[in-house]
Amino acid sequence: MSSSKTDILVVGGGLAGCATAYYLARAGAEVTVIERDELNMQASGANAGSFHAQIPHITFLEEGEAWARNFAPVVEMLIEAIDLWRGLEAELDADLEVRIGGGILIADRPEQMRDIERRMSLERAYGLDIRALTRDELLQLAPYASAQAVGGCYCPIEGKANPLKATAAFARRAEEAGAVFYRHTELRALEAVSGGFIATTGSGTIRARRVVNCAGASGGKVARMLGIEVAVQGFPIQVNVTAPVAPIIKHLVYAAGHRLSLKQTANGTLLIGGGWPAHVDPDSGYPIVDPHSMIENLKAAQRVVPAVAGAHLVRTWAAVVNGTADWKPVIGEAPGHKGFYFNFFPWTGFTAGPISALTTAELVLGRKPSIDIARYSSLRQAA
Ligand SMILES: Cc1cc2nc3c(=O)[nH]c(=O)nc-3n(C[C@H](O)[C@H](O)[C@H](O)COP(=O)(O)OP(=O)(O)OC[C@H]3O[C@@H](n4cnc5c(N)ncnc54)[C@H](O)[C@@H]3O)c2cc1C
């Protein structure tokens, strides 16, 4: 490609970009995706694969009630997001290891139950099925939980899928529907011209009528090419994986007192994360593991599920998650920049990747979106 044309240019080949390309191409649109690396090499391929619907409990405690009230409507979108995942294996004709086993948050101090109740009342107001568990109910549902547990809560719609499979399946089906993918093609400059945009990449220019920014943690940098400021950032975090063990955990497990997400994959490994901070190497710019985070994350997992102590850690990796302070998505056409769209879902963009992409594609095509995105997106304030 030294000079080409397309109707819709999608920037970024993570879950957001590949799924957006799929929904656009499925509707018959002409789409080109550019990815500076290989597909699925950043957050979308390095995440923990959890489907989150609850307001993140530790962030709720740290940021407080006002933050949670502002974020709470997004719970509705997460419910829709997980509902869409239920049909994706059939739609994409691919095994994505989707399992909806429910999410359990475990408390080990009686006073934590008050915070759980406060959080659940916000979530219920937006339609989330979530209920408190007494100690006996918890141990019946989750016999693997520590004897120190005092109770918790249960959200039946949470679950997981395999991040190594999902983006690839969307990309495959998008390509079959006619989308063109240019890998190792970095967007370096973007200029608004009459009737669209000229994108300058490392391998030539592309003229496009519309552009969709799916650049994840680099979404702010791409927007700045048009002079748009959006408070999107990248945060290095890490995940641990153990060798396979016999089936013990069928839920997505959180803790009320520590940053934790814990689950067992289809092949028996335990994935232990929860957003513990990593570092960015100042020389290479690559994310690197923080050993202190690793130890504290594993300690938190063992405290809640003692059987974790019997599993061998095989790997800890770091990756950069796309984040915003309010955790709200930035989705839709940038005000004052006709034809330039954002598809940016922060922190839990694996869960919300498909619904965000479907909604973005609908907006780009001028159709009524399947969800009322104006209720959730912070685009108007952010742009
Ligand atoms: C360690 C970790 C664990 C996580 N766990 C979970 C979880 O359990 N559940 C959950 O719901 N979410 C989780 N997330 C968040 C989730 O992974 C992300 O929110 C989501 O993958 C974002 O998808 P994306 O496609 O927007 O971004 P990315 O996957 O980062 O993709 C953006 C792509 O754009 C490309 N790009 C950027 N700039 C340019 C340019 N100028 N030109 C061309 N290409 C460009 C990048 O190379 C990249 O491939 C986690 C994230 C991390 C890092």
Side-chain angles (χ1 to χ4, degrees):
M1 175 246 305
S2 67
S3 165
S4 70
K5 268 173 82 172
T6 188
D7 183 6
I8 303 161
L9 178 66
V10 172
V11 182
L15 179 58
C18 293
T20 302
Y22 165 73
Y23 289 114
L24 288 168
R26 187 187 71 170
E30 183 193 18
V31 194
T32 298
V33 180
I34 53 172
E35 164 54 51
R36 67 180 170 198
D37 200 328
E38 283 293 329
L39 303 182
N40 208 33
M41 292 294 281
Q42 304 300 318
S44 298
N47 69 65
S50 310
F51 295 159
H52 300 291
Q54 301 180 50
I55 297 172
H57 192 72
I58 301 299
T59 310
F60 168 70
L61 298 177
E62 288 172 354
E63 299 291 331
E65 194 91 15
W67 174 89
R69 283 190 188 285
N70 183 47
F71 173 75
V74 178
V75 167
E76 267 177 14
M77 181 169 171
L78 293 169
I79 296 169
E80 295 286 346
I82 296 171
D83 214 39
L84 183 60
W85 272 103
R86 290 176 195 273
L88 278 183
E89 293 184 302
E91 162 142 15
L92 301 175
D93 190 19
D95 174 10
L96 308 177
E97 295 174 25
V98 174
R99 302 283 181 278
I100 312 282
I104 288 186
L105 182 112
I106 299 177
D108 57 11
R109 292 202 317 272
E111 64 272 21
Q112 291 170 340
M113 292 305 295
R114 279 198 305 274
D115 293 324
I116 295 172
E117 285 293 350
R118 272 196 307 132
R119 204 202 66 216
M120 286 194 305
S121 70
L122 279 177
E123 294 163 338
R124 288 197 194 103
Y126 291 96
L128 188 65
D129 180 3
I130 187 157
R131 47 189 175 270
L133 299 171
T134 62
R135 182 173 191 274
D136 286 352
E137 287 166 341
L138 171 74
L139 293 176
Q140 202 168 12
L141 203 60
Y144 50 78
S146 157
Q148 313 301 319
V150 299
C153 68
Y154 175 59
C155 174
I157 67 162
E158 293 188 314
K160 61 183 186 216
N162 187 336
L164 297 174
K165 294 183 169 179
T167 304
F170 273 114
R172 203 161 48 241
R173 297 296 168 233
E175 221 156 6
E176 283 168 9
V180 173
F181 284 79
Y182 291 115
R183 293 152 171 91
H184 301 284
T185 302
E186 183 177 19
L187 179 71
R188 295 192 175 158
L190 189 62
E191 188 191 351
V193 293
S194 159
F197 300 87
I198 293 180
T200 304
T201 76
S203 2
T205 57
I206 305 174
R207 203 186 161 98
R209 204 156 67 85
R210 289 163 289 183
V211 173
V212 190
N213 178 355
C214 297
S218 301
K221 197 170 158 195
V222 167
R224 271 194 298 280
M225 293 177 185
L226 291 177
I228 305 170
E229 282 303 325
V230 61
V232 162
Q233 290 181 59
F235 298 86
I237 57 171
Q238 58 192 51
V239 183
N240 310 282
V241 63
T242 71
V245 292
I248 37 173
I249 303 172
K250 69 170 196 177
H251 307 104
L252 168 60
V253 177
Y254 310 95
H258 329 275
R259 209 169 270 290
L260 177 70
S261 78
L262 166 64
K263 62 191 164 304
Q264 192 159 20
T265 64
N267 66 8
T269 63
L270 300 176
L271 277 183
I272 304 168
W276 283 82
H279 297 296
V280 171
D281 179 69
D283 298 326
S284 66
Y286 284 116
I288 48 172
V289 166
D290 178 332
H292 176 73
S293 282
M294 181 185 82
I295 290 165
E296 291 305 313
N297 198 176
L298 298 178
K299 273 168 43 183
Q302 287 180 29
R303 209 169 302 155
V304 173
V305 179
V308 169
H312 293 281
L313 179 71
V314 291
R315 193 160 74 92
T316 303
W317 70 90
V320 176
V321 62
N322 51 328
T324 55
D326 62 9
W327 285 55
K328 291 175 92 167
V330 182
I331 291 176
E333 191 173 36
H337 296 268
K338 193 168 170 0
F340 184 75
Y341 292 81
F342 284 96
N343 178 4
F344 181 89
F345 198 102
W347 301 108
T348 58
F350 182 68
T351 309
I355 194 80
S356 301
L358 173 64
T359 306
T360 304
E362 289 165 337
L363 292 170
V364 172
L365 296 170
R367 298 181 180 169
K368 186 175 180 305
S370 307
I371 57 168
D372 184 3
I373 190 64
R375 277 171 67 74
Y376 321 119
S377 175
S378 66
L379 185 59
R380 222 150 280 284
Q381 295 84 7

